[in-house]
Amino acid sequence: MAENPPVILSVGDEVAGVEGSPAAVAKDPSTPLRSAQDDNKGASERPQRIVVLRDFCMRAHGADCERCALACPHGAISFSEDGVPAIDADACTRCDICLGVCDAFSSTRVTMADLHARIRRIALRGESVVLTCKENVFPGLEPAANVVVLPCLACLSPEFWTLVLAENIEVSIAADLSYCADCERAGEMGELLYAHAVETAEAWSGRSVGFSDVIPEKESLVKDLANPVGVDRRSAFTNLVGDVGDIASGKRRLRNSEVLQEFYERRERSRALARLNLGNGTEFNDFVPEGRTKKTMWPKRQMLLEALDRDPDIAARVPLVVSETDCDLCTNALACAAACPTGARRPDPADGTLAYDARYCIGCGLCADACPEGAVELVETTAEALLDAGDGEAEA
């Protein structure tokens, strides 16, 4: 069993402002990712918490989904009477595979928004990004600043990889895959899922993830002086004096400062979201008993939309399942809208007729089950169906 087993919470909208919750952390997507060293030093001080977000759980809305339980390599996930996943803290090894499988799971230590922001900041510094897992980081090894250490590579979804590749970020994996079979954290399930995610993202994006069996190590200012391989001691000393001079003058801090990179990252992300015109949140609506409707963009779908915004050609290669309405059978009973967990289907605030936004549709099928006329069905399509949805509400 892993040290410091996670404290398991099951939360909904009511904890959106709680300090340390994913909802609170995600308000600032530029929150820096903890380094491998910080993670090891602070593990005993701040244990990771795996949280279950009801808004993103299809079972909580009535669907029959077991992906998280099937993917968990240690059988740590079961379901409570209300359908919400429950995690056995004694069985959980904090592999975070559940995060890569379903949006309903998140970590209080690092969210996917944090991770994506960290990767982009590395790229903005002009460096390649190297991903590895804790199983490959041995005691005494200090990874370089461009290395991101994950509990398991399987915690990243195909949508995450696709977005990174669509942004033309040079990313590679540094790992010895022979460790996967004996990994107590995730085992062979981790290798299976992360390989599937990477292969899927490569097929969707048309780009490739690099691979290396060597993890770049942190460099020291005195490394060249102490071990002058390929350089004479006088040159090594001159370089060291130059670095020390930069540190004293503040030039090195200026060069390495991430303030400007973070600013550009936030600005570019804000512009991308503005282009996507995502209407998350609630809106007043006189055609529902509660007086308001809510639209919720699931994180993985938002990543996919951001990738499409970067490269629309990806859309034709991404298969999707969405709902479709037979207008000849539909009587506008709006039972489908009442069952929809994302707000993809809702009464139009202008006239009460059915409004549909394919970008929010996750293909759960709850709308089809709820329709009394049998007017709704699930259809196979591609992400091209999402490209024009932002220009206006699509036909249901």
Side-chain angles (χ1 to χ4, degrees), residues 112-131:
M112 290 297 110
D114 300 331
L115 180 56
H116 179 241
R118 168 69 189 280
I119 289 175
R120 291 202 59 191
R121 286 199 298 274
I122 294 173
L124 285 169
R125 295 200 301 264
E127 300 180 68
S128 61
V129 180
V130 179
L131 301 178

Side-chain angles (χ1 to χ4, degrees), residues 1 67 94 200 204 242 267:
M1 182 177 67
R67 286 186 302 168
R94 298 190 312 186
T200 299
W204 289 356
R267 185 181 69 176

Side-chain angles (χ1 to χ4, degrees), residues 250-265:
K251 292 181 180 178
R252 187 182 181 89
R253 289 196 300 273
L254 181 61
R255 287 204 308 266
N256 291 337
S257 173
E258 292 187 343
V259 174
L260 188 59
Q261 284 86 350
E262 291 180 11
F263 168 75
Y264 283 128
E265 195 277 334

Side-chain angles (χ1 to χ4, degrees), residues 374-395:
V376 182
E377 64 176 348
L378 297 181
V379 296
E380 295 181 359
T381 182
T382 69
E384 291 175 305
L386 311 180
L387 292 179
D388 298 327
D391 298 334
E393 298 293 320
E395 289 290 333

Side-chain angles (χ1 to χ4, degrees), residues 63-197:
D64 185 17
C65 177
E66 299 182 350
R67 286 186 302 168
C68 56
L70 294 173
C72 180
H74 298 285
I77 300 177
S78 59
F79 301 103
S80 60
E81 292 183 359
D82 61 356
V84 177
I87 306 174
D88 183 343
D90 292 330
C92 178
T93 61
R94 298 190 312 186
C95 66
D96 288 359
I97 282 179
C98 52
L99 276 66
V101 171
C102 180
D103 284 318
F105 294 86
S106 188
S107 165
T108 58
R109 180 171 293 168
V110 177
T111 68
M112 290 297 110
D114 300 331
L115 180 56
H116 179 241
R118 168 69 189 280
I119 289 175
R120 291 202 59 191
R121 286 199 298 274
I122 294 173
L124 285 169
R125 295 200 301 264
E127 300 180 68
S128 61
V129 180
V130 179
L131 301 178
T132 189
C133 68
K134 290 183 178 180
E135 189 71 12
N136 280 270
V137 179
F138 297 98
L141 172 65
E142 292 189 78
N146 66 324
V147 178
V148 178
V149 183
L150 304 170
C152 176
L153 291 166
C155 73
L156 303 182
S157 66
E159 291 85 355
F160 189 101
W161 286 104
T162 300
L163 175 56
V164 171
L165 291 174
E167 292 174 322
N168 287 318
I169 293 176
E170 184 180 346
V171 59
S172 62
I173 293 171
D176 186 339
L177 298 184
S178 65
Y179 296 149
C180 290
D182 299 327
C183 176
E184 296 181 358
R185 188 184 301 271
E188 294 181 349
M189 180 64 76
E191 181 182 7
L192 175 67
L193 292 176
Y194 107 74
H196 168 74

